[in-house]
Amino acid sequence: MARMLLVAALATALAPGARGAFSPPCPSSSLHLAGARHALCQATAGQNILLQRGRLLPTQVTADKQGGTVGSLRGAGTLMMSDQRLVTKPRTSHAWFGVYFDIEAKDTPLTIKSIETGCSSSVDGKTLKVQLWATKEGSFAGKEEDASAWECLGDEEMVLSTIKFDKRAYDSSEAKYGKLPLKTDIVVESGGKRGFMIHTNSMGGLILRGGFGPEAQKNNWRVGAKSDETIHMRVLAGPVTASAPFTLEKDSPGFARAFAGSISYTI
């Protein structure tokens, strides 16, 4: 239906005497500025169309059934910033003090604007000490217990959103995740990785996700395994933290949990 409406809108815009029909035209050279993959043209008065990989798309992209992206456009001029949001698959019954994970950019740089997640019902309404850290460069792997390799993005006493476990849920696009403290944007270069650590002062402070599909039998991910992705990025699973930040739990070496929540970013 969206495609039919889009075609109809373009047909109207191109009809003789149509108001606002491609004025001014979108220059083809704009698609090559700074290696940009996205450009915005005015198709009709008030109608914005995103040109992506040679396809005309509506500016709104909805989340898929297993997690995915929700996108919109902002800015002025031909080249636009594209707001995106990855929503992971839902939490499982797991929750802990914290977790490490990587964000890997595919073929375009990403700017992380916010990270959203929640706590388990065991700490519903309680004030927690919540910290968000990022590696100064590269993956978390090999840096889990080296505090000097990390920068603190946020440290706050706060009440996290409570996300209840529903064993029947396979879509978390409507979950009411809350934003973590984040004082600055984080850039992940094209083809690169940045490691993240979320830590709380409660055993039920952070919701997590065990395995789905074949992994569900052992309820573990391998460290570095892909847990979620969009066309722009991958999220890679990591180990859990102990009660103190930069301290690994020692009882399950090589196994990991996946981040559960959402990540808002621009490309």
Side-chain angles (χ1 to χ4, degrees):
M1 179 61 72
R3 184 184 297 273
M4 294 174 64
L5 291 175
L6 179 58
V7 171
L10 289 174
T12 301
L14 292 171
R19 297 177 58 191
F22 289 91
S23 178
C26 178
S28 59
S29 60
S30 68
L31 299 181
H32 303 286
L33 292 177
R37 297 169 54 215
H38 301 274
L40 186 71
C41 299
Q42 291 294 330
T44 64
Q47 173 70 46
N48 289 331
I49 303 299
L50 176 67
L51 185 60
Q52 180 187 63
R53 295 185 179 178
R55 295 179 294 131
L56 286 170
L57 299 173
T59 59
Q60 296 298 321
V61 182
T62 59
D64 63 39
K65 292 297 183 182
Q66 297 295 320
T69 58
V70 177
S72 63
L73 299 174
R74 60 186 175 85
T78 301
L79 287 177
M80 305 296 292
M81 296 290 289
S82 178
D83 293 326
Q84 305 288 328
R85 182 169 177 251
L86 175 146
V87 180
T88 71
K89 291 183 283 294
R91 63 163 295 192
T92 55
S93 59
H94 305 87
W96 203 244
F97 292 100
V99 72
Y100 297 88
F101 62 96
D102 278 339
I103 293 177
E104 180 181 28
K106 292 185 179 180
D107 55 359
T108 189
L110 311 173
T111 300
I112 307 302
K113 308 295 287 187
S114 68
I115 297 176
E116 303 90 26
T117 186
C119 66
S120 71
S121 57
S122 66
V123 290
D124 181 33
K126 295 182 179 180
T127 299
L128 303 173
K129 181 177 175 61
V130 180
Q131 297 178 320
L132 176 61
W133 295 75
T135 56
K136 295 176 181 177
E137 61 179 6
S139 169
F140 68 79
K143 308 181 181 81
E144 295 92 335
E145 298 185 301
D146 180 9
S148 67
W150 298 76
E151 58 180 313
C152 184
L153 304 180
D155 184 341
E156 190 173 320
E157 301 277 338
M158 61 186 299
V159 177
L160 287 173
S161 299
T162 300
I163 308 297
K164 295 181 179 181
F165 168 57
D166 180 356
K167 65 181 181 181
R168 300 163 298 179
Y170 285 89
D171 177 11
S172 60
S173 60
E174 299 302 319
K176 304 297 183 183
Y177 297 120
K179 290 185 178 181
L180 296 176
L182 177 61
K183 62 186 179 182
T184 185
D185 297 345
I186 292 294
V187 175
V188 186
E189 298 296 343
S190 175
K193 296 178 184 178
R194 292 290 293 272
F196 292 83
M197 181 189 70
I198 304 169
H199 188 268
T200 74
N201 63 339
S202 173
M203 189 179 294
L206 185 68
I207 58 169
L208 298 170
R209 198 168 86 247
F212 273 75
E215 294 84 6
Q217 294 181 1
K218 59 177 180 251
N219 275 326
N220 279 302
W221 300 88
R222 300 298 300 185
V223 172
K226 179 188 71 179
S227 61
D228 295 274
E229 71 177 333
T230 70
I231 61 172
H232 311 115
M233 65 184 285
R234 298 180 185 91
V235 180
L236 309 179
V240 296
T241 66
S243 58
F246 304 111
T247 306
L248 287 170
E249 289 289 1
K250 307 300 184 183
D251 60 350
S252 56
F255 292 107
R257 292 287 183 258
F259 166 76
S262 58
I263 300 169
S264 298
Y265 63 98
T266 59
I267 56 173

